[in-house]
């Protein structure tokens, strides 16, 4: 997402560029070299099956401004003290994760990561799509032909989802399908999808078929039947600013929520099952309706009787996390859950990237930076335990030991269990 800001240089002060080349020395835990690619300087434990840990929390970061060297870190949710492991893949000095890492998806006992601009800034960086095995060892990296640009353009990829052998990639111009076996070939466009929102896609499975939901800035949520790639249109009001999948009753009940922005003061939360909008609930809060990156990092906790939705404020400098609890029927109540920097680094100023909510316990995770310029030394992840802001815990770049984690512009926070359909 940071690449967008490069096109608006007047927004930034010169301090952004002064910090662009800064690298912060980090302590690596249980450091071992990757025998497949020892330039990655990985700190992953050799032989540890990361994808088998259903309590695993992955933190994907875009990397430094202008050099865009993404990294992947890990928090083990099965350990009571929640230690962090810094840089289980990639390192700010190598660009191994690629240029502007944006999104990941776990399927087929692999992790797939999409990078926004491939290797346009990093020599030897990934070609847009990186594939890691369950031990977080690289097995493939590719750019389907020359389809994805190395700069910002209509086919720039931002989000990814996997169904079987098909790799679905959201781009600025639509959704395309590629695969590892067709690496080097031009992807197939999914017909009928236009003006997609720059947000994560949501996947659910019903009656053995996986359906992929894609938001649009034109009042539509698209549903792709991944068995046939047929597209259905679901009408919702306003720009879709976030999508999230909800799974209940041992995954037998699955549906999605879409948050769409109507104006600077109103949004609508739509609950969708299949192609039917079950409910539409108006939310009154502060939004930036003109922002053409309307993502608000929507996520959900379905552990109680009713769903609880979280989203961050949108705009250029997001500072708040909101909680929307469905209290009865299809309506709920809105509250401000958290405002940065309460309880964490006093220099933190911006909540960045997609939120993450642990479906096992309702923990809410968010990434932050100090500012658009002070991101190399002030960055980290906050964890609001059980959704209670009084129990906040922090992992940050300036910490030591198991609380140390370097997250320069967090793209998203993901849980292994959320991909179990």
């Amino acid at each position: 997402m940071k690449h967008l800001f490069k096109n608006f240089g007047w927004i930034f002060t010169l301090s952004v560029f002064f910090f662009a080349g800064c690298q912060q020395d980090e302590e690596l835990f249980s450091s071992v070299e990757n025998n497949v690619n020892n330039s990655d300087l990985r700190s992953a434990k050799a032989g540890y099956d990361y994808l088998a840990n259903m309590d695993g929390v992955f933190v994907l970061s875009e990397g430094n401004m202008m050099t865009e060297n993404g990294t992947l870190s890990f928090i083990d949710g099965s350990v009571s003290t929640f230690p962090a492991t810094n840089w289980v893949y990639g390192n700010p000095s190598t660009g191994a994760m690629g240029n502007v890492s944006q999104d990941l998806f776990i399927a087929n006992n692999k992790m797939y990561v999409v990078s926004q601009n491939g290797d346009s800034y990093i020599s030897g960086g990934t070609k847009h799509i990186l594939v890691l095995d369950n031990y977080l060892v690289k097995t493939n990296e590719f750019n389907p032909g020359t389809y994805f640009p190395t700069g910002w353009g209509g086919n720039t990829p931002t989000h990814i989802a996997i169904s079987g052998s098909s790799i679905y990639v959201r781009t600025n111009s639509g959704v395309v399908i590629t695969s590892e076996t067709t690496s080097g070939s031009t992807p197939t466009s999914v017909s009928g999808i236009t003006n997609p929102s720059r947000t994560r896609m949501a996947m659910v499975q019903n009656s053995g078929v996986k359906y992929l939901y894609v938001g649009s800035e034109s009042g539509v949520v698209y549903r792709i039947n991944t068995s046939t790639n047929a597209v259905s249109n679901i009408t919702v009001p306003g720009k879709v600013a976030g999508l999230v999948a909800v799974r209940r009753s041992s995954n037998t009940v699955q549906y999605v929520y879409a948050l769409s922005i109507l104006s600077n003061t109103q949004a609508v939360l739509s609950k969708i099952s299949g192609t039917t909008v079950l409910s539409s609930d108006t939310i009154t809060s502060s939004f930036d309706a003109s922002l053409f990156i309307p993502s608000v990092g929507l996520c959900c906790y379905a552990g109680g009787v009713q769903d609880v939705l979280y989203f961050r404020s949108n705009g250029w400098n997001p500072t708040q996390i909101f909680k929307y609890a469905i209290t009865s029927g299809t309506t709920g109540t809105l509250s401000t859950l958290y405002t940065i920097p309460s309880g964490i680094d006093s220099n933190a100023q911006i909540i960045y990237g997609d939120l993450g909510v642990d479906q096992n316990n309702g923990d809410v995770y968010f990434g932050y930076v100090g500012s658009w310029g002070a991101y190399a030394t002030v960055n980290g992840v906050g964890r609001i335990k059980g959704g209670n802001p009084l129990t906040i815990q922090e992992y940050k770049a300036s910490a030591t030991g198991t609380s140390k984690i370097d997250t320069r512009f967090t793209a998203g926070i993901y849980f292994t269990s959320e991909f179990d359909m």
Side-chain angles (χ1 to χ4, degrees), residues 155-172:
N155 293 331
T156 297
T158 62
H159 295 85
I160 192 168
I162 314 298
S163 178
S165 61
S166 296
I167 302 175
Y168 292 82
V169 182
R170 181 268 170 203
T171 74
N172 289 342

Side-chain angles (χ1 to χ4, degrees), residues 19 55 81 143 161 207 242 297 299 332:
F19 279 95
D55 296 305
T81 55
N143 176 7
S207 301
C299 50

Side-chain angles (χ1 to χ4, degrees), residues 37 54 66 103 117 137 178 181 183 213 291 318 355 363 399 405:
N37 186 349
M54 297 304 289
M66 301 305 291
D103 195 18
N117 295 305
V137 173
T178 185
T181 57
S183 175
Y213 290 77
L291 188 63
L355 304 177
D363 289 354
I405 187 169

Side-chain angles (χ1 to χ4, degrees), residues 294-347:
S295 171
V296 293
L298 180 69
C299 50
C300 175
Y301 176 52
V305 176
Q306 299 284 356
D307 300 328
V308 179
L309 282 296
Y310 298 92
F311 59 94
R312 62 166 173 80
S313 53
N314 73 327
W316 298 113
N317 296 285
T319 61
Q320 294 179 308
I321 296 175
F322 299 104
K323 174 182 178 180
Y324 197 77
I326 308 297
T327 52
S328 63
T330 59
T331 60
T333 56
L334 178 70
S335 60
T336 300
L337 176 73
Y338 174 78
T339 301
I340 206 167
S342 178
I344 62 169
D345 192 322
S346 60
N347 295 310

